[in-house]
Amino acid sequence: MGANTSQVRDLAENPNLKTLVGTKSVSENDPFWNQLISFTFISPTRSGDSKLLEEAVAPLAKILIENNPRTGNFGALVRVFLGRTKELKISTECQDQLFIWQAHNALFMIRCLLKVFIREMSEQELHLQFSYQERAPGFCGETGSEDLLEELLSNLVHLIVEVPLLDITYSILFEAVTTLLVFFSYQLFHKDILRDGLIYQHIMKGRCSCLTSRLVKTLLYNFIRQEKCPPPATHIFEPKAEGSLLYGLASGVASGLWSVFTLGGAGSKAGVDEEHNPLPLSNQSLLLLLVLANLTDGPDWANPYRQAISCFRNTQDTSSLPVEQLHTFQINFNSLYTALCEQQRSDQATLLLYTLLHQNANMRTYMLSRTDMDNLVLPILEILYNVEERNSHHVYMALIILLILTEDDAFNRSIHEVVLKNISWYTERSLTEISLGSLLILVVIRTIQFNMTRTRDKYLHTNCLAALANMSAQFRCLHQYAAQRIISLFALLSKKHNKVLEQATQSLRGRQGDNTALPDYAQDLNVIEEVIRMMLEIINSCLCNSLHHNPNLVYALLYKRELFEQFRAHPSFQDIMQNLDTVIGFFSQRLEQAGTDLSVERVQEVIMKGVQALPIDRLKKFPELKFKYVEEDQPEDFFIPYVWSLVYNSGVGLHWSPQGIELFSMDSG
């Protein structure tokens, strides 16, 4: 960093950096600053490179912390950057790459120092580092009336929303977004969720607040565009033509270039390194958007960024609102939907999809009206299918998304009309042709079975069963394998019930007269009976509402009819078992009348005729199964730690604090 530095280990000996962090005060008008920020560097986006860089910068930053109260050099560096931001938009229009390049370098240095400052000091102490200005030797204190911290935050937001995204501006926009993330990263060093503070106040209520909707819109469009980092040839330190004046200027001030780090790492090829991030701006913009959306409300004001996310509308929507909503804007829903479909392999894209479905009624209505819902649902199902490879929070988000979608009856009907062929990632069985609805059932049941044998998480069970329950009245033409898996899951639950019941019975016999609490497995019996009850209700809902559409379920029910006999007299299941007994008895009688030694085809033929003949009024009516996702059901402060675990793992390079380990102990970390 700075001219004539070629290795990270050389940073401590770089004369320009020594001057910056040293005891000599440098005026912001000194030519030194032009020399300091004339170096060639592409911001690292891999966590390994970021960590190496931070380790190299940390000793220098700590020296600056000691000397800055007397020199004010950090504030001078910030003012040098702020002076250049005022002309960035014009520089972009004029293709002034040299100016943009130096502004980027100044911001990059500020970001590197801030990361260490935030780790080493409180917000109040950080604010003082901005307040110290050039002064006479021996004088220590604050001068001036400007709030340089708020000025920097405001300028970063202006930079993001006003400077267009081009090859020559990509790096500085990436730095601006990342620097804002670094400012918010105080959360990483606190166990408790931060609900106030200087930076929080500036972003929520300060000069930045007037740009709320523009910032949210810009970050969304950065995510939508999915722009790859431009190749090195687009940067000014690469010669564009022999004898180029621009290149000559650049190389003159930055000979002996420091280019140890590049996007993808020194000497690595794009796409080879698994840590390589080809979309750093898109990724960082999405992370910043999620951080802003999950900032807590103030004591007397709502989070404006969450408001903006919850009320934006489609550019195709020309209707006027009865009451103008605060922070609203318009964005192309089709482009956003396409980006969401394509990016679900990442936690942050899935979290954005959840946020929009849950909080933005306009976007939810649009998604549910799409005729290509399979493009969105299939990636979600693939997340659940590969549950062993995903962290638990990504799985939770995928399940909650399914639960929200299944609250809509039109969705539940339409997914059975979409026919899929040859699902390559579903490897348990060859599915040459299956409806999206049947595939959804298969994947959710597989998730339940995985949870029963591995994680045993009641919350996950609840969401899976709620999604199946919401769909059950709309089951149509279930694939025979899906019907078999429904009954197989019931068989697994029945087996587990018998085992736990036997253990509980033995325990009770040995504890007569003992009034102490029952062992855990006796409590497990209540839990598993709740699950069995839910499964019976799901089967019953299908039989009552769409029996004639699901002969394969009737076949599977008859094939395993002995499973249900033990629950007929059970007080918890007697009412729900009446309908199953009616259906099983009706079809069993018809099969007996058809003769013995029936082939599979003949049995199916008898069932097909029987489903048309069974009087529906013979089945007892139960309340409709409907479950709605409620965010309050989530564990307390679930989303803030989740978002920051994603930030930490993104390559920003912030380190955990000992106090934060408990709060942010995420699977993905």
Side-chain angles (χ1 to χ4, degrees), residues 211-217 220 289 293 303-313 325-330 356 359-360 362:
L211 296 174
T212 293
S213 58
R214 290 182 63 188
L215 179 58
V216 170
K217 183 176 182 178
L220 277 173
L289 182 65
N303 179 345
Y305 303 96
R306 189 182 301 128
Q307 288 180 320
I309 287 173
S310 66
C311 67
F312 68 79
R313 300 191 296 156
Q325 293 173 298
L326 195 63
H327 306 303
T328 189
F329 61 90
Q330 289 185 299
L356 296 178
Q359 298 182 12
N360 191 308
N362 302 319

Side-chain angles (χ1 to χ4, degrees), residues 499-512:
K499 182 178 179 180
V500 176
L501 180 60
E502 182 180 352
Q503 291 175 329
T505 302
Q506 291 176 354
S507 175
L508 285 172
R509 287 172 181 166
R511 297 169 64 88
Q512 292 180 358

Side-chain angles (χ1 to χ4, degrees), residues 19-29 32-33 36 63-80 110 113 117 126-143 146 148:
T19 300
L20 172 67
V21 305
T23 57
K24 178 183 176 183
S25 179
V26 184
S27 168
E28 61 191 86
N29 299 315
F32 160 80
W33 297 106
L36 176 71
I63 296 173
L64 181 60
I65 291 172
E66 293 181 10
N67 293 329
N68 191 53
R70 291 179 294 278
T71 66
N73 284 346
F74 179 70
L77 173 61
V78 172
R79 284 189 288 275
V80 167
I110 292 168
L113 293 170
F117 286 5
L126 176 68
H127 189 254
L128 288 176
Q129 293 294 332
F130 281 88
S131 302
Y132 301 129
Q133 296 183 16
E134 179 184 351
R135 55 188 57 84
F139 180 86
C140 183
E142 298 179 61
T143 62
E146 66 173 338
L148 204 58

Side-chain angles (χ1 to χ4, degrees), residues 402-588:
L402 288 184
L403 179 55
I404 293 173
L405 292 174
T406 58
E407 291 172 13
D408 185 76
D409 285 339
F411 170 83
N412 295 331
R413 287 191 296 270
S414 65
I415 56 175
H416 292 287
E417 297 168 0
V418 178
V419 178
L420 308 169
K421 296 187 178 181
N422 300 315
I423 308 300
S424 58
W425 48 263
Y426 193 95
T427 57
E428 290 183 13
R429 176 168 172 162
S430 177
L431 299 175
T432 56
E433 187 172 286
I434 189 172
S435 72
L436 179 60
S438 289
L439 181 64
L440 194 158
I441 293 168
L442 284 174
V443 173
V444 170
I445 288 175
R446 183 178 185 273
T447 306
I448 293 173
Q449 291 178 322
F450 173 84
N451 186 50
M452 287 176 63
T453 56
R454 303 287 183 87
T455 56
R456 299 182 181 179
D457 188 327
K458 183 180 178 181
Y459 184 76
L460 190 143
H461 263 338
T462 301
N463 280 299
C464 287
L465 291 169
L468 289 178
N470 285 346
M471 296 169 58
S472 59
Q474 308 294 336
F475 284 171
R476 295 289 188 276
C477 303
L478 290 182
H479 191 280
Q480 63 179 36
Y481 186 52
Q484 290 171 16
R485 297 306 293 163
I486 291 173
I487 305 304
S488 295
L489 175 58
F490 187 84
L492 183 62
L493 292 168
S494 176
K495 183 178 179 181
K496 188 174 182 64
H497 177 268
N498 292 340
K499 182 178 179 180
V500 176
L501 180 60
E502 182 180 352
Q503 291 175 329
T505 302
Q506 291 176 354
S507 175
L508 285 172
R509 287 172 181 166
R511 297 169 64 88
Q512 292 180 358
D514 189 346
N515 294 323
T516 58
L518 291 175
D520 288 343
Y521 54 74
Q523 298 174 19
D524 288 345
L525 187 63
N526 292 328
V527 174
I528 198 168
E529 287 185 353
E530 289 178 10
V531 176
I532 289 175
R533 170 78 189 192
M534 179 72 82
M535 282 301 301
L536 288 172
E537 289 180 341
I538 290 169
I539 296 169
N540 177 72
S541 176
C542 177
L543 296 178
C544 290
N545 293 282
S546 54
L547 174 65
H548 56 293
H549 289 299
N550 292 291
N552 284 331
L553 182 61
V554 175
Y555 183 95
L557 197 63
L558 292 172
Y559 189 73
K560 293 286 188 178
R561 72 190 86 174
E562 71 280 355
L563 286 173
F564 301 91
E565 292 178 0
Q566 61 178 306
F567 300 108
R568 186 176 292 114
H570 195 292
S572 299
F573 312 122
Q574 279 182 325
D575 58 338
I576 202 76
M577 281 299 303
Q578 291 179 23
N579 285 344
L580 271 70
D581 281 343
T582 299
V583 172
I584 291 173
F586 176 83
F587 284 98
S588 296

Side-chain angles (χ1 to χ4, degrees), residues 258-278:
W258 179 42
S259 55
V260 174
F261 295 111
T262 60
L263 292 170
S268 69
K269 297 180 180 179
V272 175
D273 193 321
E274 63 180 11
E275 277 194 283
H276 178 65
N277 177 14

